[in-house]
Amino acid sequence: MENLTVSSDDLATSEAPCFVTEVPGPKARKLIEQDHEFVSHSYIKEYALAIHRARGAVVEDVDGNRYLDLMGGVGVATLGHSPPEVVEAIKAQADRFLHICGTDFYYSSFSSLAQTLAELAPGPAKKMVYFGNSGTEVVEAAIKLARHYTRRPHLLAFHGAFHGRTMGSLSLTSSKVGQRRGFAPFLPGVHHVPYANCYRCPYGLKYPSCEVHCADVIERSLLSSMVPPDEVAAIFVEPIQGEGGYVVPPPEFHQKLRAMADRHGILLVADEVQSGMGRTGKMFAMEHFEVVPDAICSAKGLSSGVPLGALISRAEYMTDWNRGSHGSTFGGNPVSCEAALATIKGLRNGVLEHGARMGARLASHLEALKEKHPLIGDVRGMGLMQGIELVRDRTTLEPADAEADQVVQIGFKRGILLLPCGESVIRFSPPLVITEQQIDRAMEILDEVLGEVEKTMV
Ligand code: PLP
């Protein structure tokens, strides 16, 4: 690598990794100009981070500025950035062959990853796996699988949900109007109902006295007046809503959905694209709720940054659809499958437990910051999937959306990479290998940033 002042390993373990002079620096500005001229303007581009290299939880930009990555490349860098064991597996596979097409032929990583995931997924029933290249692709696959197996047209999803941006998954997505504007009409037969958001209960109730009304009401209203339950193929649900604001429902919510699905022969599809692969301290977030879904969509952290998605479902669905009824040229590419196998090995070799411990440390820091900063209305999450909801007033819960944006932008200038979600939530989804020292340092910086933003509010 060119112009390195420290070795890659130093970068990963560096205890004072945040080092920001000018952002964007001259090289970043040049790159951003080129990007703006030639790249589709549909991308978000949260801030002027122009990456040069990264290791562990540390990112270095093209001008030599260093950051602590608290968003993990949007929840992808499970074992950290460029984990050596994954890079080795990728290189070895690239040397053997890059492609043959798993839709049409055989190779060992395709089948062994399928077996590994089938055995990792919760519940005693035999599972099988379909591979795509991304989260949205396996959500599409799940829509097709559910409709094909049940021969039913309707699908249920939740307000605030994010399932992807291709037409089928976008039809299920309802987290931001900007994601849908201009793209109607959507897939017919999709119905949205309120999610269990206890901080902002859609029914104005309080948990636990509400008895999780939001789950019961689906059957009592929608399914008894509008959509015959025996025509519903699947319920798509995120165990913890991601883009919608890192919303953690009470356990009974998912348990009631499971019971409702069972009563009517509906498939319960857990979208674990963001919450899966150890992110919440368990391999799949649904395990926290003691619910076994019929199908799981996985992507993001599954393969540490090489494109891959996996739909894991009960075997009877995947033996039911015919040869050629679904497939993909690149889905389950050999390089991605080797990366996923190495990622899962790392998770099993202690990273999962480490991530759970770091999640507890992060959560206690965030709780302490909430005591100090009135801007933080709520702290919630599981493992290393934590969020803080910012409000202008803790009584009215007025969303502090502009302030959330300021926190993200100032955080960037101070050396922490953050991402917003929901209306005014800052999410934390760092690499699971982040160290105690890195969390502590990042929280010191966040403390200063919150203080600075609060000063502008009075
Ligand atoms: N589902 C969930 C829960 C997600 O968070 C995302 C992406 O953020 C997706 C699906 C779509 O994944 P991808 O961007 O890989 O298509």
Side-chain angles (χ1 to χ4, degrees):
M1 278 192 264
E2 24 152 342
N3 296 333
L4 294 190
T5 49
V6 289
S7 77
S8 302
D9 288 343
D10 289 340
L11 187 65
T13 53
S14 167
E15 282 186 17
C18 311
F19 177 82
V20 182
T21 49
E22 185 195 2
V23 282
K27 289 185 185 164
R29 282 203 299 272
K30 206 160 165 245
L31 194 159
I32 291 165
E33 260 171 43
Q34 183 189 31
D35 191 283
H36 197 75
E37 190 175 349
F38 293 107
V39 175
S40 159
H41 284 198
S42 59
Y43 297 110
I44 303 168
K45 307 289 186 187
E46 300 280 356
Y47 39 82
L49 173 69
I51 184 172
H52 170 56
R53 61 175 192 149
R55 291 289 182 282
V58 180
V59 171
E60 191 176 275
D61 78 5
V62 288
D63 296 291
N65 297 305
R66 291 226 194 121
Y67 308 87
L68 270 171
D69 183 0
L70 298 184
M71 51 89 195
V74 199
V76 166
T78 307
L79 302 189
H81 288 284
S82 295
E85 62 272 48
V86 176
V87 173
E88 275 314 306
I90 290 171
K91 283 182 180 165
Q93 178 57 48
D95 267 347
R96 283 195 301 275
F97 64 97
L98 282 173
H99 177 74
I100 189 69
C101 192
T103 291
D104 296 296
F105 307 106
Y106 300 91
Y107 43 92
S108 73
S109 58
F110 197 85
S111 332
S112 23
L113 179 60
Q115 180 174 356
T116 304
L117 290 171
E119 290 168 0
L120 268 185
K126 182 170 186 302
K127 319 282 189 316
M128 291 177 106
V129 176
Y130 168 86
F131 291 116
N133 299 286
S134 60
T136 196
E137 273 188 47
V138 292
V139 170
E140 297 289 340
I143 294 172
K144 286 179 70 175
L145 183 72
R147 280 189 166 170
H148 187 276
Y149 181 74
T150 61
R151 303 293 200 269
R152 299 175 178 186
H154 292 285
L155 304 166
L156 299 195
F158 291 89
H159 295 166
F162 188 86
H163 296 289
R165 297 168 186 274
T166 49
M167 281 315 288
S169 67
L170 181 61
S171 305
L172 301 171
T173 288
S174 80
S175 66
K176 289 198 179 77
V177 84
Q179 293 154 353
R180 294 169 65 97
R181 181 177 285 118
F183 300 121
F186 299 103
L187 205 62
V190 175
H191 309 272
H192 286 94
V193 288
Y195 194 74
N197 183 344
C198 297
Y199 189 62
R200 295 178 184 278
C201 177
Y203 300 98
L205 301 171
K206 282 261 169 293
Y207 177 79
S209 59
C210 65
E211 296 181 354
V212 195
H213 170 79
C214 52
D216 295 332
V217 79
I218 302 170
E219 207 168 2
R220 279 196 247 127
S221 60
L222 183 76
L223 298 186
S224 65
S225 64
M226 251 185 85
V227 183
D230 56 350
E231 292 182 10
V232 178
I235 302 169
F236 281 79
V237 66
E238 291 162 272
I240 297 175
Q241 273 193 344
E243 305 296 313
Y246 274 34
V247 182
V248 185
E252 297 92 327
F253 179 68
H254 288 303
Q255 289 158 8
K256 286 184 179 212
L257 293 184
R258 176 69 278 176
M260 183 174 74
D262 286 342
R263 274 193 295 281
H264 302 292
I266 300 170
L267 273 49
L268 184 66
V269 181
D271 183 341
E272 296 251 16
V273 166
Q274 192 156 167
S275 60
M277 304 319 291
R279 171 71 29 220
T280 65
K282 291 195 188 281
M283 201 58 90
F284 295 104
M286 268 302 188
E287 295 171 50
H288 290 286
F289 302 95
E290 296 179 358
V291 163
V292 176
D294 299 307
I296 294 177
C297 299
S298 178
K300 280 196 183 284
L302 171 61
S303 44
S304 292
V306 241
L308 182 67
L311 171 63
I312 312 161
S313 85
R314 294 173 72 104
E316 60 259 38
Y317 314 153
M318 290 209 189
T319 49
D320 178 66
W321 56 4
N322 303 322
R323 278 181 190 280
S325 57
H326 203 42
S328 152
T329 298
F330 288 126
N333 168 274
V335 175
S336 306
C337 287
E338 290 293 350
L341 285 166
T343 302
I344 293 167
K345 196 168 166 198
L347 281 168
R348 284 171 155 166
N349 283 345
V351 172
L352 185 73
E353 290 75 14
H354 175 83
R357 280 197 304 279
M358 293 307 103
R361 192 176 187 95
L362 175 63
S364 73
H365 271 295
L366 295 173
E367 288 292 351
L369 289 176
K370 183 182 166 199
E371 294 296 308
K372 186 171 169 189
H373 294 283
L375 186 56
I376 301 181
D378 195 29
V379 175
R380 55 192 183 234
M382 285 177 165
L384 280 174
M385 184 170 185
Q386 297 284 333
I388 51 175
E389 178 150 352
L390 305 189
V391 291
R392 293 198 184 117
D393 181 319
R394 282 187 182 173
T395 323
T396 63
L397 307 189
E398 185 190 349
D401 48 354
E403 291 81 354
D405 191 46
Q406 270 182 286
V407 169
V408 172
Q409 301 299 332
I410 298 174
F412 172 57
K413 293 194 175 110
R414 297 289 155 77
I416 50 176
L417 302 182
L418 298 167
L419 266 187
C421 60
E423 210 178 340
S424 60
V425 177
I426 310 285
R427 63 171 119 172
F428 302 87
S429 57
L432 303 189
V433 296
I434 192 167
T435 65
E436 288 182 1
Q437 291 80 2
Q438 289 172 333
I439 288 185
D440 296 352
R441 178 74 192 112
M443 291 300 106
E444 278 170 17
I445 298 172
L446 182 65
D447 184 11
E448 290 163 20
V449 172
L450 288 165
E452 198 170 314
V453 172
E454 279 171 340
K455 268 193 225 142
T456 67
M457 294 171 69
V458 283

